[in-house]
Amino acid sequence: MRRTLFNEDHEAFRETIRAFIEAEVVPVYDEWFAAGQAPREFYYKLAELGVFGIRVDEEYGGAGIDSYKFEAVLYEETARAGVSFGGSGVHVLLGLPYIKLLASDEQKKRYLPKFVSGEEMWAIAMTEPGTGSDLAGMKTTAKLSEDGTHYVLNGAKTFITGGVHADRMIVCARTAAPTKEDRRHGISLFVVDTKAEGYSVGRKLDKLGLKTSDTAELAFVDVKVPVEDLLGEENKGFYYLGHNLASERWGIAFGAYAQAKAAVRFAKQYVQDRVVFGQPVAAFQNTKFELASCQAEVDAAEAVADRATEALDAGELTPAEAASAKLFCTEVAHRVIDRCLQLHGGYGFMNEYPIARLYADNRVNRIYGGTSEIMKTIIAKDMGL
């Protein structure tokens, strides 16, 4: 079946990105892996390439293209090469939708030019120690000052990807207590300058996978946030989070599909080159059957991912559909990558092989952005169960 998701512009972009990865990422990726993060300077190169401004309006320095398909190309090409762009993914996939949805014209003028240029990298701080997926249970507070000029932020966050390099952090905090009728009431969103007094970055977390992304703990002690940096309306933060979770979950779904596709590519190349018992591993019937099954699963995941992309671009991707896409694609990736690693034998366990890194990177897909169990709960509720 002919794929219809991408057009000539997307394929031209793909060629540019593939060449960029080969020149700027592959030669130094082992250094990033060892350091546990991509260097901050690399993000300026992505900005120069135009990656950060694709979906930003032209008046703020962007390309003004209202589509996620170029980001889909990025997912496919980084997975294909067995690399990542560090923690920069949250800048566009997580940060930008909140600015576009909630920022006033004045805020957009302040935020977006530096967003596009890479001068200010963005991330979002939702999860707290002890709360996990229960965002309504957050305890970080933001209290309005007596003179009404600023909020005072106190609390802590964890598992914040992009947390080390971020210049602007969207922080979710309580501006009012939850009610008996609605635990989600009282959450607001703030754009916090990470250089503000009382804002601190704690440990850079040592993760199982995604080694080149900077994931950290954050702490806020009497951080003053100007009222001009409240994003959207007070106490409506949980609604805003729910609105933008669809695009976040699309990103995880599409990224997982791209990883599965890459795993088949890595395994196919390996079994064709590796000789055992006098013949290539690819010559054994079991190898052929395993890869054929994996390819069939990847084909199905591609169809789901592409359909979700079209729906997202059309503004029609529902929370339940996003949850379904995430659940399906991440579970497919889990199975396919595991089987492709098995075909590598002992070498699949070595980090010098991309399949090993892919195996570790993929595991979090069924956890962040909402666990698989949360996805099933959303889907079941949509089914009326």
Side-chain angles (χ1 to χ4, degrees), residues 116-360:
V116 172
S117 70
E119 184 178 346
E120 288 186 349
M121 295 299 296
W122 286 59
I124 185 166
M126 301 185 209
T127 306
E128 295 184 1
T131 61
S133 297
D134 182 19
L135 294 179
M138 69 176 62
K139 295 179 172 59
T140 297
T141 60
K143 297 182 179 179
L144 189 63
S145 62
E146 291 185 3
D147 61 7
T149 61
H150 62 273
Y151 292 85
V152 180
L153 184 67
N154 284 282
K157 300 288 182 178
T158 192
F159 306 147
I160 309 306
T161 300
V164 175
H165 286 320
D167 302 288
R168 290 275 188 172
M169 183 67 65
I170 300 174
V171 178
C172 311
R174 285 209 163 275
T175 44
T179 65
K180 291 183 179 180
E181 295 77 19
D182 188 2
R183 293 178 62 243
R184 301 168 297 181
H185 172 76
I187 295 172
S188 301
L189 307 184
F190 299 90
V191 177
V192 181
D193 185 341
T194 63
K195 296 183 292 294
E197 184 177 353
Y199 181 108
S200 62
V201 178
R203 292 187 303 146
K204 182 169 73 66
L205 300 174
D206 183 15
K207 307 185 297 296
L208 170 67
L210 300 180
K211 290 291 189 179
T212 63
S213 68
D214 51 313
T215 302
E217 296 173 330
L218 307 178
F220 321 112
V221 179
D222 294 335
V223 178
K224 293 182 179 179
V225 183
V227 293
E228 292 82 10
D229 286 324
L230 171 68
L231 202 56
E233 297 181 35
E234 259 195 15
N235 303 326
K236 291 189 176 182
F238 200 94
Y239 164 76
Y240 299 143
L241 294 173
H243 183 278
N244 283 334
L245 275 174
S247 60
E248 178 183 353
R249 287 167 179 162
W250 164 82
I252 298 169
F254 203 97
Y257 140 70
Q259 289 175 325
K261 182 177 181 179
V264 172
R265 175 175 179 266
F266 296 144
K268 179 183 176 183
Q269 180 177 345
Y270 178 82
V271 299
Q272 288 175 328
D273 295 339
R274 174 72 167 156
V275 175
V276 296
F277 302 114
Q279 61 181 324
V281 176
F284 293 93
Q285 186 182 63
N286 179 70
T287 303
K288 296 176 182 179
F289 282 5
E290 281 293 286
L291 282 178
S293 295
C294 288
Q295 183 62 53
E297 290 214 69
V298 169
D299 287 345
E302 180 180 89
V304 170
D306 285 4
R307 186 181 67 176
T309 305
E310 295 285 17
L312 183 63
D313 271 8
E316 298 172 354
L317 185 64
T318 68
E321 289 168 344
S324 179
K326 180 183 184 295
L327 178 65
F328 183 78
C329 290
T330 57
E331 292 293 340
V332 164
H334 161 64
R335 293 191 297 270
V336 167
I337 294 170
D338 183 75
R339 289 156 76 181
C340 287
L341 186 149
Q342 187 73 14
L343 289 172
H344 281 70
Y347 290 104
F349 205 64
M350 301 296 113
N351 274 328
E352 64 187 273
Y353 282 79
I355 192 67
R357 298 181 183 184
L358 194 58
Y359 182 88

Side-chain angles (χ1 to χ4, degrees), residues 68-107:
Y68 284 82
K69 292 181 182 180
F70 290 94
E71 287 171 51
V73 171
L74 290 173
Y75 282 120
E76 290 188 337
E77 290 305 307
T78 50
R80 179 185 181 276
V83 301
S84 81
F85 286 166
S88 65
V90 299
H91 180 67
V92 175
L93 183 64
L94 301 189
L96 185 57
Y98 288 96
I99 303 174
K100 294 182 71 172
L101 175 69
L102 304 174
S104 65
D105 290 342
E106 183 275 331
Q107 287 175 321

